[in-house]
Amino acid sequence: MIPIVYIDGDQGTTGLQIHARLQGRTDLRVLTLRADRRKHPGARAEALNHCDVAILCLPDDAAREAVAMIHNPAVRVIDASSAHRTAPGWVYGFPEMAAGQSERIAQATRVSNPGCYPTGAVALLRPLVESGLLPRDHPVTVHAVSGYSGRGRAGVEEHEGPNATQALPFQVYGLGLSHKHAPEMALHAGLTHRPVFVPAYGAYRQGIVLTIALHTRLLPQGVDARCIRTALAAHFDGTRHVRVLTAAQSQSLERLDPQTLNGTNDLQLAVFDNAAQGQVLLSAVFDNLGKGASGAAVQNLDLMLEAISASR
């Protein structure tokens, strides 16, 4: 029996991207509601309870409502919203985050897709925390710039709609330092305190550059760029979608292009340093619509489908 996948909110930026990534596949069937039925509670509830995997591409409150509609215990859920990323009972959908995480996702009935920015932050921080190179209470600041599609339809309309000439070329936001991604970063990176998170949007469609600056004088004795790079490389060794640049590769770069990995589900990590000043810069480059959203959801879906197939 071919597994049925239902995308609730399939006309949004993330949902459309997931649809595109699933086109042409014969190992699953995407359940689609007619345009006049997409927001009908009864039609949605029926679809949610008659699929094998439901992918929620909805605002947070709507995602919680969708989960409450599901009464069929066999239905698995991948929630692309931020509603359940720190909720008990939900498995965090970052397969490369920790040993055994892929297996946990494969067997889970409730998976919360990571946020785009936290994907890069957790990838850089968690291996260092786990290896003792970064204290759990370290004062972390995360800077990140995303393409405007990170705002969803509103961002796309602002930059591609009839009033596009009025769009700002660059904007820093989250100035109240209470962005909803900060608790997610802290929890899954293993930090005891929320990082200071400074997000921004640029006037390009998609792609993220995320950076974290460290002072070696605040790190355990002997920790330097080489130690950090080695720990990251060891953590992600053998993974398909996460690549850690070597020292030579990092030193050859003069700039970081946020669009380098657009259209992929890949994540590129690098470590830069000024040893004389005791400064280290960590970076992550990836597609906010790929590894940061739709690509990650499809990766988690594939893990689930393998488990479903094995159980039948």
Side-chain angles (χ1 to χ4, degrees), residues 242-258:
V242 183
R243 176 190 178 206
V244 180
L245 297 187
T246 65
Q249 290 170 332
S250 299
Q251 291 166 4
S252 70
L253 293 177
E254 296 183 356
R255 62 185 63 86
L256 292 171
D257 180 357

Side-chain angles (χ1 to χ4, degrees), residues 128-265:
L128 306 185
V129 171
E130 288 184 341
S131 60
L133 301 181
L134 185 73
R136 292 183 180 274
D137 62 351
H138 190 83
V140 172
T141 298
V142 178
H143 291 265
V145 181
S146 171
Y148 56 77
S149 61
R151 288 184 58 200
R153 281 187 174 180
V156 173
E157 177 64 22
E158 180 180 350
H159 286 267
E160 298 179 8
N163 297 317
T165 56
Q166 301 175 27
L168 293 174
F170 184 82
Q171 51 188 305
V172 176
Y173 65 105
L175 302 182
L177 303 182
S178 58
H179 195 285
K180 63 182 181 180
H181 283 167
E184 178 185 349
M185 291 178 183
L187 175 65
H188 297 294
L191 300 173
T192 57
H193 302 285
R194 294 185 186 185
V196 174
F197 176 45
V198 186
Y201 289 125
Y204 61 97
R205 198 173 205 277
Q206 63 195 83
I208 286 177
V209 165
L210 178 145
T211 57
I212 301 172
L214 302 173
H215 295 273
T216 55
R217 61 184 171 80
L218 301 180
L219 303 178
Q221 186 174 4
V223 175
D224 57 13
R226 181 187 60 80
C227 296
I228 291 171
R229 187 181 295 108
T230 299
L232 291 173
H235 183 92
F236 294 108
D237 182 45
T239 61
R240 177 183 175 187
H241 294 292
V242 183
R243 176 190 178 206
V244 180
L245 297 187
T246 65
Q249 290 170 332
S250 299
Q251 291 166 4
S252 70
L253 293 177
E254 296 183 356
R255 62 185 63 86
L256 292 171
D257 180 357
Q259 303 176 94
T260 299
L261 295 175
N262 281 359
T264 77
N265 191 47

Side-chain angles (χ1 to χ4, degrees), residues 1 20 44 47 55 84 87 94 128 142 160 166 177 188-189 219 222 240 257-258 268 282 284 288 302 308:
M1 182 181 296
R44 288 178 58 222
I55 303 179
H84 300 101
F94 187 177
L128 306 185
V142 178
E160 298 179 8
Q166 301 175 27
L177 303 182
H188 297 294
L219 303 178
R240 177 183 175 187
D257 180 357
Q268 176 183 287
L282 313 178
N288 60 287
D302 286 339
I308 291 172

